[in-house]
Each structure stands twice: as C-alpha cells, then as structure tokens.
C-alpha cells in the first residue's frame, strides 16, 4: 500500500514509487501526503488517491505536438521548466510498459523529497499556481522553477530528488531514465513485477 508506515529496525518508514517509462522518470505519492506538504494543490485532482509528479522542459514536456527538433532544442538551448502532475486511483493506471520501483525511506527523507518536488512549483504573488497545459489524460503541467538544459535534465532533477530522500545517486551518471533506474537498483530497490 502506498504511503504505508512500517517499523523496520525500530524506525518509521514510508514508501513512495519511482517510475521509468523509457524516456522520463516520475515519482508517485499519496495525494493527501502531497497536499499536506503543499496545500495550494488541494483544489486539483480531487478524485485521485495518488499523484504522479515529474519535472521537465517548458516547451517539450507534456506538449501533445512533440517533435525531435523540440527535444534537441530543450537539450541545447536552456529553457524554463514545468512540473507535471497526474492524478491516479492506483498503480494499475500506470502504463504496463513502465517500470515501477517501490522505495522505502525514513519519514524525514519522505518529507524532504516531497518538499523538494513541491518547492519547484512557481506561485504568483497571490500564491496561485500557473497552469501551462493539460494533456488529454488530465496530466496538468504547471510553471516551475529551474532551467532545463543538457546539464540539468529531468533525470538529473530526479537524481537530486532521490538524493534528498537519502538515496545515493551520482548526478554525472543521471543523463537518461535508464541511468536513474540503474542507480535506484544499486541502492537496493527492485522493480515491481506486474
């Protein structure tokens, strides 16, 4: 069960999920746990039990008209970023060809990774989010802090997020989603079998 608390060696542990769809890595947390750390999201995804979150290039990530040129431009011409959030009822809604890893961390690491992710959401002077686009599957993309470039990709962002939770990932080995997945396995986590 997502977000379940267990006692392992006398410490409280919480679980979240990391996914790799072949191109991009995402994190999945219980909606209520994200809302408790980022209450400005409370009006979004009211029917979801889980939230899938990821960070990427403003023009490319979540754009229904993605092209190879847009992907190359994102890498070689630094641009602003968005944070994508998709509401889910359960893990069965994650595409079957997506690898999922269950990651258990101490509660402090759990709070740190959620805070890390949510700190990237830009808010205006009224503390409102800037919704950039919504995909047909209802994934929402919000303006985010950070500059996307070949030296700061969605996957290096994911590595930083995992480091904030207490895992050990090397940013110089975090260029692709597969690199992130390999390092998560090196930290002792295995892919869920579905």
């Amino acid at each position: 069960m997502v977000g379940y608390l267990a006692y392992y060696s006398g410490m409280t542990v919480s679980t979240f999920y990391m996914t790799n769809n072949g191109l991009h890595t995402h994190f999945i947390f219980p909606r209520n746990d994200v809302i408790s750390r980022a209450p400005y999201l409370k009006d979004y995804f009211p029917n979801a039990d889980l939230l899938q979150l990821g960070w990427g290039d403003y023009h490319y990530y979540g754009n229904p008209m993605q092209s190879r040129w847009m992907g190359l431009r994102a890498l070689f011409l630094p641009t602003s970023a968005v944070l994508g959030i998709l509401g889910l009822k359960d893990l069965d809604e994650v595409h079957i060809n997506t690898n999922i890893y269950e990651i258990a961390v101490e509660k402090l690491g759990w709070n740190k990774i959620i805070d890390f992710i949510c700190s990237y959401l830009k808010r205006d002077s009224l503390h409102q989010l800037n919704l950039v686009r919504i995909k047909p599957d209802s994934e929402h993309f919000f303006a985010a802090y950070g500059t996307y470039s070949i030296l700061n990709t969605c996957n290096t962002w994911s590595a930083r997020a995992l480091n904030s939770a207490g895992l050990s990932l090397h940013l110089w080995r975090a260029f692709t989603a597969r690199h992130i997945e390999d390092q998560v396995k090196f930290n002792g986590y295995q892919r869920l079998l579905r």
Side-chain angles (χ1 to χ4, degrees), residues 125-147:
S125 59
L126 300 174
H127 301 287
Q128 299 297 310
L129 299 171
N130 177 9
L131 182 61
V132 174
R133 67 177 68 90
I134 302 175
K135 280 177 57 176
D137 66 358
S138 294
E139 185 171 9
H140 289 51
F141 293 84
F142 299 94
Y145 291 106
T147 301

Side-chain angles (χ1 to χ4, degrees), residues 24-85:
H24 207 281
T25 49
H26 295 96
F27 300 106
I28 299 174
F29 290 91
R31 178 188 180 273
N32 291 341
D33 288 279
V34 175
I35 299 302
S36 73
R37 308 296 294 182
Y40 44 86
L41 283 170
K42 71 181 183 312
D43 294 333
Y44 296 94
F45 318 103
N47 300 316
D49 293 323
L50 306 171
L51 294 180
Q52 173 186 280
L53 305 108
W55 181 91
D57 171 71
Y58 185 95
H59 298 289
Y60 184 79
Y61 183 39
N63 191 321
M65 305 292 287
Q66 290 178 344
S67 67
R68 185 175 295 167
W69 162 245
M70 287 174 66
L72 291 172
R73 185 177 74 174
L75 286 174
F76 296 106
L77 296 174
T79 59
S80 54
V82 291
L83 200 137
I85 306 177

